Amino acid sequence: MEVVKLADFSDSMFQFAIWAMIIIIALTIIIFLQIVAIHAHRIIKKWSRDRFLAVCRPIVLEYIVGGTNELPRVGRAHLYDFLLFWNNLNDSLRGDARERLIALAYSLELNKAAVKMLRRNNVRKRFMAIATLGHMRDDEAWGELKEGLSDKNSYLSFASARAMVLINAEGAMEHLIPRMMSRADWAAFNMSGILKAAGPEAISEPLAKAALNADAEDSLSLLKYIDLADYSTAKRVVNELLKSAVVEEVITACLKALKDPEALHIVRRHTFHDCWFVRVQAAAALGRVGVESDKYILMEMLSDKEWWVRYRAAKALSKMPFVSAEELKNLQLDHHDRFSRDILMKAIAEGELT
Amino acid sequence: MTVINIIWLIFPIYFVAYYGANFVLNLVAAVSVIRYSRNRGSDVLQLLYTKFEPPVSIIVPAFNEEACINSTVHSLMQISYSEFEVIVVNDGSTDKTLEVLVEEFGLKPFPEVNRIQVKSAPVRNIYRSSRYPNLSVIDKENGGKADSSNAGINASIYPLFCVVDADSILGRNSLETVVEPFVTDPTTVASGGTIRIVNGCQVSDGYLVKVGLPTNPLALFQVVEYLRAFLFGRIGWASMNALILISGAFGLFRKSAVVEIGGFRTDTVGEDMELVIRLHRHFLNKGEPYNIAYVPEPICWTEAPGDLRTLKNQRLRWQRGLSESLTKNMGLLFSRRGGVAGWLAMPFYIVFEWLGPIIEVSGYLFTFIGVYTGLITVEAMWSFFIVAMGFGVFLSISTFLLEEIAFHIYPNFRHLFVLTIFAIIENLGYRQLNSLWRLWGLLLWAFGSKPQWGKMKRKATWQVKGE
């Protein structure tokens, strides 16, 4: 075995390894020092923030109850911390206290500071700026906030939407609705929170108008929120769409939202729909708004080939005021179809459990 | 160059390739984590959760868990989420798991009518709670965790399900966090999150109240390992939609997708990884857009083994699971429609995770024997060790940097110092021991010995007194 050649080779390899070790150690030390520096910086920042808030919090709280007109001193270093504190406080206040808090912000010219922050390239700070402008109801920032609706970052665009709603809910809807239809990244659970904040008065008419004039895909996007509109508008939209809808998803969404017996004849028609998830919602809707004779339709649906249709029909029957517990039990015992008997047994047991 | 030279060179080349690939993965993960943490800096906006987030079925397979099952279920029932159900699957326990559940939650037999969508062992009885309408318990014949998960899927009524280990500690917001990919991207079929070690932390009423570090050295090594594996490895792969493992401790899945591929396989101990790889194969072959996501935030805390025997058994099982998952899905490797999962992730796992132990252990053995017999010089040996260990330390320290930037879970300097020390000494025996166990697990699989889950000795010293 040629140890000599290996030794020659291993010398250069060893040198390479030594250099590699030196570089690795150096990099490791640098990274470790960086970690220590970040950690120390965080601790110092927290200490500084806590000190600052310990001073300004009592002043702000005194101010909002009218106990003082003294303004807290907010330097640049603590602007973000103060805005965080101010925004959180704003969310928890109502009435005069909130108005005084907003007045405090204007006295400190926080709106100007927020606009400057909005133009920075830092997502966190832009977020804070948008939230501040919204809470301050600063309509001078409307243009900038409107631009924010188109931001690629969903969180920033949502924040802009929320801020606009806080400033002028009705005016905001005009800009929100087209984006509710076009932005796939606008999650329903975020949007519904914003629309709730806007209130039924602001959203009902624009939502109704858009839903009734949109194509199937867009009206489906908007139907998700129809429950948040006022009852009469929601009822009008759902009934109108139900009359004309042919796309199964739209029919399903309408049936889901239906709370009124006006369109009952259409609901009954859909209990025979080819699409199983339409039949599911038709059964559920009959349970909610059906009349006594509808129980026979539901009994027929107990034999549907789809499990979910049978289940919804059984649940609907169990909740109908026209069907007594005894009647339901007899139906379960006497039904000719085994699957119907099983599903009724489940629905009855669930009812007994609750 | 002699044959010995050439053979011996394989080992340092392997280590350079291994650490180089991990370094690239680290960079990819770093970008992803930093972007994620910036976007999540929404301190102020109160994102209101309403009825639009999808409801979830939480499946809890339980085998002989009489000691902790009640507290587990209680803590799950307090999760912050709009609509969910909890399904405990008693997998033929031989202790009083079912009895303690019946007594604690007022369970009554229920005439459930489930559709059998995936195969599972026969179900003996189904119970529903009279006090918690969204809690049910399935009593079935023993079939293992995968089989229990399948039984849970059959009983579930919601479009998403997660399987939670009975000893997993979740955060109150864990479901809200891990469901987000499903809400923001409708093509998501699975989502996982970071699993952290609960040893050394304080838990009260089933929830984490204070983060700490364990004093047990073995557990400390695992803290370093988990940070490296989860923070870099999985995030890196997920950002390329090539994540092939979502931890069995806590993962969220779209039920229709899992049913479409037949549920969990029961002939493997790595059913979690096997399922995810199969999901990739299925959707890639179909040509349908899909997303398997990963949420960098810690969502689940689990107890790490504190003794060598239990740790060894765990690592043997993991390697077996890896072997089974990869070999049962070799069709994904370099397949025409394999995507990043088939062309990058699979080869990486095969070379570095599956077969890697062979090379690693051989490398050490070859080096020692070579030095002893004079075939290899001491300098060459040190070169090899420097490369093998030095990079390991560097990668671990890089992980801590990312952890500090993005999450700063460990609040004290002392924690950082201890973790750094252990990141260094991890390479002086612990990693080598792991390689040995992994090789052992690989050989056990290769020679067809029967897989076993084994039993972990739970200490649960992190539970706050009075619980």
Side-chain angles (χ1 to χ4, degrees), chain B residues 147-189:
Chain B
D147 188 78
S148 302
S149 304
N150 286 342
I153 290 170
N154 286 333
S156 69
I157 59 171
Y158 291 140
L160 302 182
F161 76 88
C162 63
V163 180
V164 178
D165 285 348
D167 58 344
S168 294
I169 309 289
L170 302 187
R172 276 188 215 274
N173 298 324
S174 290
L175 263 189
E176 287 173 352
T177 304
V178 81
V179 88
E180 199 174 326
F182 288 90
V183 176
T184 52
D185 182 353
T187 65
T188 302
V189 297

CSV table of all heavy atoms in Angstrom, one decimal, chain B residues 147-189:
chain,number,residue,atom,x,y,z
B,147,ASP,N,-53.5,3.1,11.8
B,147,ASP,CA,-54.9,2.5,11.7
B,147,ASP,C,-55.9,3.4,12.5
B,147,ASP,O,-57.0,3.6,12.1
B,147,ASP,CB,-54.8,1.1,12.3
B,147,ASP,CG,-56.1,0.4,12.0
B,147,ASP,OD1,-56.4,-0.1,10.9
B,147,ASP,OD2,-56.9,0.2,13.0
B,148,SER,N,-55.4,3.8,13.7
B,148,SER,CA,-56.3,4.7,14.5
B,148,SER,C,-56.6,6.0,13.8
B,148,SER,O,-57.7,6.5,13.9
B,148,SER,CB,-55.6,5.0,15.9
B,148,SER,OG,-55.3,3.8,16.5
B,149,SER,N,-55.6,6.5,13.2
B,149,SER,CA,-55.8,7.8,12.4
B,149,SER,C,-56.9,7.5,11.3
B,149,SER,O,-57.8,8.4,11.1
B,149,SER,CB,-54.5,8.3,11.8
B,149,SER,OG,-53.5,8.4,12.8
B,150,ASN,N,-56.8,6.4,10.7
B,150,ASN,CA,-57.8,6.1,9.6
B,150,ASN,C,-59.2,6.0,10.2
B,150,ASN,O,-60.2,6.5,9.6
B,150,ASN,CB,-57.4,4.8,8.9
B,150,ASN,CG,-56.3,5.0,8.0
B,150,ASN,OD1,-55.9,6.1,7.6
B,150,ASN,ND2,-55.6,3.9,7.6
B,151,ALA,N,-59.3,5.3,11.4
B,151,ALA,CA,-60.6,5.2,12.0
B,151,ALA,C,-61.1,6.6,12.4
B,151,ALA,O,-62.3,6.9,12.2
B,151,ALA,CB,-60.5,4.4,13.3
B,152,GLY,N,-60.2,7.5,12.8
B,152,GLY,CA,-60.6,8.8,13.1
B,152,GLY,C,-61.1,9.6,11.9
B,152,GLY,O,-62.1,10.3,11.9
B,153,ILE,N,-60.4,9.3,10.8
B,153,ILE,CA,-60.8,10.0,9.5
B,153,ILE,C,-62.3,9.5,9.2
B,153,ILE,O,-63.1,10.4,8.7
B,153,ILE,CB,-59.9,9.6,8.4
B,153,ILE,CG1,-58.5,10.3,8.6
B,153,ILE,CG2,-60.4,10.0,7.0
B,153,ILE,CD1,-57.4,9.8,7.7
B,154,ASN,N,-62.5,8.3,9.3
B,154,ASN,CA,-63.9,7.8,9.0
B,154,ASN,C,-64.9,8.4,9.9
B,154,ASN,O,-66.1,8.6,9.4
B,154,ASN,CB,-63.9,6.2,9.2
B,154,ASN,CG,-63.2,5.5,8.1
B,154,ASN,OD1,-63.1,6.0,7.0
B,154,ASN,ND2,-62.7,4.3,8.4
B,155,ALA,N,-64.6,8.7,11.1
B,155,ALA,CA,-65.6,9.3,12.0
B,155,ALA,C,-65.7,10.8,11.9
B,155,ALA,O,-66.6,11.4,12.4
B,155,ALA,CB,-65.2,8.9,13.5
B,156,SER,N,-64.7,11.4,11.3
B,156,SER,CA,-64.7,12.9,11.3
B,156,SER,C,-65.7,13.4,10.3
B,156,SER,O,-66.1,12.8,9.3
B,156,SER,CB,-63.3,13.4,10.9
B,156,SER,OG,-63.1,13.0,9.5
B,157,ILE,N,-66.2,14.6,10.6
B,157,ILE,CA,-67.2,15.2,9.8
B,157,ILE,C,-66.8,16.5,9.1
B,157,ILE,O,-67.5,17.1,8.3
B,157,ILE,CB,-68.5,15.5,10.5
B,157,ILE,CG1,-68.3,16.4,11.7
B,157,ILE,CG2,-69.2,14.2,11.0
B,157,ILE,CD1,-69.6,16.9,12.4
B,158,TYR,N,-65.6,16.9,9.4
B,158,TYR,CA,-65.1,18.2,8.9
B,158,TYR,C,-64.1,18.0,7.7
B,158,TYR,O,-63.5,17.0,7.6
B,158,TYR,CB,-64.5,19.0,10.0
B,158,TYR,CG,-65.5,19.5,11.0
B,158,TYR,CD1,-65.2,19.5,12.4
B,158,TYR,CD2,-66.8,19.9,10.6
B,158,TYR,CE1,-66.1,19.9,13.3
B,158,TYR,CE2,-67.7,20.4,11.6
B,158,TYR,CZ,-67.4,20.3,12.9
B,158,TYR,OH,-68.3,20.8,13.8
B,159,PRO,N,-63.9,19.1,6.9
B,159,PRO,CA,-63.1,18.9,5.8
B,159,PRO,C,-61.6,18.9,6.0
B,159,PRO,O,-60.8,18.4,5.2
B,159,PRO,CB,-63.4,20.2,4.9
B,159,PRO,CG,-63.9,21.2,5.9
B,159,PRO,CD,-64.6,20.4,7.0
B,160,LEU,N,-61.2,19.3,7.2
B,160,LEU,CA,-59.8,19.2,7.6
B,160,LEU,C,-59.7,18.4,8.8
B,160,LEU,O,-60.5,18.4,9.7
B,160,LEU,CB,-59.2,20.6,7.9
B,160,LEU,CG,-59.2,21.7,6.8
B,160,LEU,CD1,-58.5,22.9,7.3
B,160,LEU,CD2,-58.6,21.2,5.5
B,161,PHE,N,-58.6,17.6,8.9
B,161,PHE,CA,-58.3,16.9,10.1
B,161,PHE,C,-56.8,17.0,10.5
B,161,PHE,O,-56.0,17.2,9.7
B,161,PHE,CB,-58.7,15.4,10.0
B,161,PHE,CG,-57.7,14.6,9.2
B,161,PHE,CD1,-56.6,14.0,9.8
B,161,PHE,CD2,-57.9,14.5,7.8
B,161,PHE,CE1,-55.7,13.2,9.1
B,161,PHE,CE2,-57.0,13.7,7.1
B,161,PHE,CZ,-55.9,13.1,7.7
B,162,CYS,N,-56.6,16.9,11.8
B,162,CYS,CA,-55.2,16.8,12.2
B,162,CYS,C,-55.1,15.6,13.2
B,162,CYS,O,-56.1,15.3,13.9
B,162,CYS,CB,-54.8,18.1,12.9
B,162,CYS,SG,-55.6,18.5,14.4
B,163,VAL,N,-53.9,15.0,13.2
B,163,VAL,CA,-53.7,13.9,14.1
B,163,VAL,C,-52.7,14.5,15.2
B,163,VAL,O,-51.6,15.0,14.8
B,163,VAL,CB,-53.1,12.7,13.4
B,163,VAL,CG1,-52.8,11.6,14.4
B,163,VAL,CG2,-54.0,12.3,12.3
B,164,VAL,N,-53.1,14.4,16.4
B,164,VAL,CA,-52.3,14.9,17.5
B,164,VAL,C,-51.9,13.8,18.4
B,164,VAL,O,-52.7,13.0,18.8
B,164,VAL,CB,-53.1,15.9,18.3
B,164,VAL,CG1,-52.3,16.5,19.4
B,164,VAL,CG2,-53.5,17.1,17.4
B,165,ASP,N,-50.6,13.7,18.7
B,165,ASP,CA,-50.2,12.7,19.7
B,165,ASP,C,-50.8,13.0,21.1
B,165,ASP,O,-50.9,14.2,21.4
B,165,ASP,CB,-48.6,12.6,19.8
B,165,ASP,CG,-48.0,12.0,18.6
B,165,ASP,OD1,-48.7,11.3,17.8
B,165,ASP,OD2,-46.8,12.1,18.5
B,166,ALA,N,-51.1,11.9,21.8
B,166,ALA,CA,-51.7,12.1,23.1
B,166,ALA,C,-50.8,12.9,24.1
B,166,ALA,O,-51.3,13.6,25.0
B,166,ALA,CB,-52.0,10.8,23.7
B,167,ASP,N,-49.5,12.9,23.8
B,167,ASP,CA,-48.6,13.7,24.7
B,167,ASP,C,-48.1,15.0,24.2
B,167,ASP,O,-47.2,15.6,24.7
B,167,ASP,CB,-47.4,12.8,25.1
B,167,ASP,CG,-46.6,12.3,23.9
B,167,ASP,OD1,-47.2,12.4,22.8
B,167,ASP,OD2,-45.5,11.9,24.1
B,168,SER,N,-48.7,15.4,23.0
B,168,SER,CA,-48.3,16.7,22.4
B,168,SER,C,-48.9,17.8,23.2
B,168,SER,O,-50.1,17.7,23.6
B,168,SER,CB,-48.8,16.7,21.0
B,168,SER,OG,-48.1,15.8,20.2
B,169,ILE,N,-48.2,18.9,23.4
B,169,ILE,CA,-48.7,20.1,24.0
B,169,ILE,C,-48.9,21.1,22.9
B,169,ILE,O,-47.9,21.5,22.2
B,169,ILE,CB,-47.6,20.7,25.0
B,169,ILE,CG1,-47.1,19.6,26.0
B,169,ILE,CG2,-48.2,21.9,25.7
B,169,ILE,CD1,-48.2,19.2,27.0
B,170,LEU,N,-50.1,21.5,22.7
B,170,LEU,CA,-50.4,22.5,21.7
B,170,LEU,C,-50.5,23.9,22.3
B,170,LEU,O,-50.7,24.0,23.5
B,170,LEU,CB,-51.7,22.2,21.0
B,170,LEU,CG,-51.8,20.9,20.3
B,170,LEU,CD1,-53.0,20.8,19.4
B,170,LEU,CD2,-50.6,20.7,19.3
B,171,GLY,N,-50.3,24.9,21.5
B,171,GLY,CA,-50.6,26.3,22.0
B,171,GLY,C,-52.1,26.6,21.7
B,171,GLY,O,-52.7,25.9,20.9
B,172,ARG,N,-52.7,27.5,22.5
B,172,ARG,CA,-54.1,27.8,22.3
B,172,ARG,C,-54.4,28.3,20.9
B,172,ARG,O,-55.5,28.1,20.3
B,172,ARG,CB,-54.5,28.9,23.3
B,172,ARG,CG,-54.9,28.4,24.6
B,172,ARG,CD,-55.5,29.4,25.5
B,172,ARG,NE,-55.2,29.2,26.9
B,172,ARG,CZ,-55.8,28.5,27.7
B,172,ARG,NH1,-56.9,27.8,27.3
B,172,ARG,NH2,-55.4,28.3,28.9
B,173,ASN,N,-53.4,28.9,20.2
B,173,ASN,CA,-53.6,29.4,18.9
B,173,ASN,C,-53.0,28.4,17.8
B,173,ASN,O,-52.9,28.8,16.6
B,173,ASN,CB,-52.9,30.8,18.7
B,173,ASN,CG,-53.6,31.8,19.6
B,173,ASN,OD1,-54.8,31.7,19.9
B,173,ASN,ND2,-52.8,32.7,20.2
B,174,SER,N,-52.6,27.2,18.2
B,174,SER,CA,-52.0,26.4,17.2
B,174,SER,C,-52.8,26.1,16.0
B,174,SER,O,-52.3,26.1,14.9
B,174,SER,CB,-51.6,25.0,17.9
B,174,SER,OG,-50.6,25.2,18.8
B,175,LEU,N,-54.1,25.8,16.2
B,175,LEU,CA,-55.0,25.5,15.1
B,175,LEU,C,-55.1,26.7,14.1
B,175,LEU,O,-55.0,26.6,12.9
B,175,LEU,CB,-56.3,25.1,15.5
B,175,LEU,CG,-56.6,23.6,15.6
B,175,LEU,CD1,-58.1,23.4,15.9
B,175,LEU,CD2,-56.2,22.8,14.4
B,176,GLU,N,-55.3,27.9,14.7
B,176,GLU,CA,-55.4,29.1,13.9
B,176,GLU,C,-54.2,29.3,13.1
B,176,GLU,O,-54.2,29.8,12.0
B,176,GLU,CB,-55.6,30.3,14.9
B,176,GLU,CG,-57.0,30.4,15.5
B,176,GLU,CD,-57.1,31.5,16.5
B,176,GLU,OE1,-56.0,32.1,16.8
B,176,GLU,OE2,-58.2,31.7,17.0
B,177,THR,N,-53.0,29.0,13.7
B,177,THR,CA,-51.7,29.2,13.0
B,177,THR,C,-51.6,28.2,11.9
B,177,THR,O,-51.3,28.6,10.7
B,177,THR,CB,-50.6,29.1,14.0
B,177,THR,OG1,-50.7,30.0,15.1
B,177,THR,CG2,-49.2,29.4,13.3
B,178,VAL,N,-51.8,27.0,12.2
B,178,VAL,CA,-51.5,25.9,11.2
B,178,VAL,C,-52.6,25.9,10.1
B,178,VAL,O,-52.3,25.3,9.0
B,178,VAL,CB,-51.3,24.6,11.8
B,178,VAL,CG1,-52.6,23.9,12.2
B,178,VAL,CG2,-50.4,23.7,11.0
B,179,VAL,N,-53.7,26.5,10.3
B,179,VAL,CA,-54.8,26.4,9.3
B,179,VAL,C,-54.6,27.5,8.2
B,179,VAL,O,-55.2,27.5,7.2
B,179,VAL,CB,-56.2,26.6,10.0
B,179,VAL,CG1,-56.6,28.0,10.1
B,179,VAL,CG2,-57.3,25.8,9.1
B,180,GLU,N,-53.8,28.5,8.6
B,180,GLU,CA,-53.7,29.7,7.7
B,180,GLU,C,-53.3,29.3,6.2
B,180,GLU,O,-53.9,29.9,5.3
B,180,GLU,CB,-52.7,30.7,8.3
B,180,GLU,CG,-52.9,32.1,7.6
B,180,GLU,CD,-52.1,33.1,8.3
B,180,GLU,OE1,-51.8,33.0,9.5
B,180,GLU,OE2,-51.7,34.0,7.6
B,181,PRO,N,-52.4,28.4,6.0
B,181,PRO,CA,-52.1,28.1,4.6
B,181,PRO,C,-53.4,27.6,3.8
B,181,PRO,O,-53.5,27.9,2.6
B,181,PRO,CB,-51.1,27.0,4.6
B,181,PRO,CG,-50.4,27.2,5.9
B,181,PRO,CD,-51.5,27.7,6.9
B,182,PHE,N,-54.3,26.9,4.5
B,182,PHE,CA,-55.5,26.4,3.9
B,182,PHE,C,-56.4,27.6,3.5
B,182,PHE,O,-57.2,27.5,2.6
B,182,PHE,CB,-56.3,25.5,4.8
B,182,PHE,CG,-55.6,24.1,5.0
B,182,PHE,CD1,-54.7,23.9,6.0
B,182,PHE,CD2,-55.9,23.1,4.1
B,182,PHE,CE1,-54.1,22.7,6.1
B,182,PHE,CE2,-55.3,21.9,4.2
B,182,PHE,CZ,-54.4,21.7,5.2
B,183,VAL,N,-56.4,28.6,4.3
B,183,VAL,CA,-57.3,29.8,4.1
B,183,VAL,C,-56.7,30.7,3.0
B,183,VAL,O,-57.5,31.2,2.2
B,183,VAL,CB,-57.4,30.6,5.4
B,183,VAL,CG1,-58.3,31.8,5.2
B,183,VAL,CG2,-58.0,29.7,6.5
B,184,THR,N,-55.4,30.9,3.0
B,184,THR,CA,-54.8,31.8,2.0
B,184,THR,C,-54.5,31.1,0.7
B,184,THR,O,-54.4,31.8,-0.3
B,184,THR,CB,-53.5,32.4,2.5
B,184,THR,OG1,-52.7,31.3,3.0
B,184,THR,CG2,-53.8,33.3,3.7
B,185,ASP,N,-54.4,29.8,0.7
B,185,ASP,CA,-54.2,29.1,-0.6
B,185,ASP,C,-55.1,27.8,-0.6
B,185,ASP,O,-54.8,26.8,0.0
B,185,ASP,CB,-52.7,28.7,-0.7
B,185,ASP,CG,-52.4,27.9,-2.0
B,185,ASP,OD1,-53.3,27.6,-2.8
B,185,ASP,OD2,-51.2,27.7,-2.2
B,186,PRO,N,-56.2,27.9,-1.4
B,186,PRO,CA,-57.1,26.8,-1.4
B,186,PRO,C,-56.6,25.5,-2.0
B,186,PRO,O,-57.2,24.4,-1.9
B,186,PRO,CB,-58.3,27.3,-2.3
B,186,PRO,CG,-58.1,28.7,-2.5
B,186,PRO,CD,-56.6,29.0,-2.3
B,187,THR,N,-55.4,25.5,-2.6
B,187,THR,CA,-54.8,24.3,-3.1
B,187,THR,C,-54.0,23.5,-2.1
B,187,THR,O,-53.5,22.5,-2.3
B,187,THR,CB,-53.9,24.5,-4.3
B,187,THR,OG1,-52.7,25.3,-3.8
B,187,THR,CG2,-54.5,25.3,-5.4
B,188,THR,N,-54.0,24.1,-0.9
B,188,THR,CA,-53.2,23.4,0.2
B,188,THR,C,-53.9,22.1,0.6
B,188,THR,O,-55.1,22.1,0.8
B,188,THR,CB,-53.1,24.3,1.5
B,188,THR,OG1,-52.5,25.6,1.1
B,188,THR,CG2,-52.3,23.7,2.6
B,189,VAL,N,-53.1,21.1,0.7
B,189,VAL,CA,-53.6,19.8,1.1
B,189,VAL,C,-53.0,19.3,2.4
B,189,VAL,O,-53.6,18.4,3.1
B,189,VAL,CB,-53.4,18.7,0.0
B,189,VAL,CG1,-54.1,19.0,-1.3
B,189,VAL,CG2,-51.9,18.5,-0.2
